Amino acid sequence: MYYFIIALKLIVGISILNVWLLNGKKETIWRARNAKNILEEFAVYGLSKNVYYIVGFLKVALSLLLIASIWFVKLENLAAIGLAILLSGSIAMHLKVKDPIKKSFPAALFLAMCLLIIMF
């Protein structure tokens, strides 16, 4: 189970870092409505640029903490619970704008992984 949790931490952490640091300006099938990047997606949700920066900072910071928790276990719950809250918000935003349920799939998958990390 130990290695499974490490794998989950790496998958969640690296995936979220990838979204926010490498692919944030790219168009994907997961974006809300027809948004072409994360900033446009936040506008679709009716959220401000300041919220975009706050959420981005939190997701990057918590992803780094989740990865660091492989070595510093005391960071695990803070990182996994924080990300679970933000990922729940992502799902809620997709529902708010009536996106097809499949657009919530990545957030739901990473939320499930965070919940497994918290439980074990």
Side-chain angles (χ1 to χ4, degrees), residues 42-108:
F42 272 66
V44 167
Y45 297 143
L47 301 172
S48 71
K49 202 172 193 179
N50 287 335
V51 173
Y52 160 80
Y53 287 121
I54 292 166
V55 170
F57 172 80
L58 289 172
K59 283 197 174 181
V60 168
L62 291 169
S63 294
L64 291 171
L65 288 176
L66 189 64
I67 294 168
S69 77
I70 293 169
W71 300 278
F72 305 99
V73 180
K74 290 184 179 188
L75 299 173
E76 181 178 275
N77 281 341
L78 170 69
I81 291 168
L83 285 170
I85 291 167
L86 291 171
L87 291 162
S88 296
S90 299
I91 295 166
M93 289 293 108
H94 280 291
L95 294 173
K96 174 187 171 188
V97 299
K98 297 179 174 52
D99 271 338
I101 197 73
K102 72 176 185 176
K103 291 203 178 217
S104 297
F105 176 74

Side-chain angles (χ1 to χ4, degrees), residues 6-22:
I6 288 175
L8 291 179
K9 290 177 182 183
L10 288 170
I11 291 166
V12 172
I14 292 170
S15 295
I16 293 174
L17 290 172
N18 178 54
V19 168
W20 279 88
L21 300 177
L22 301 177

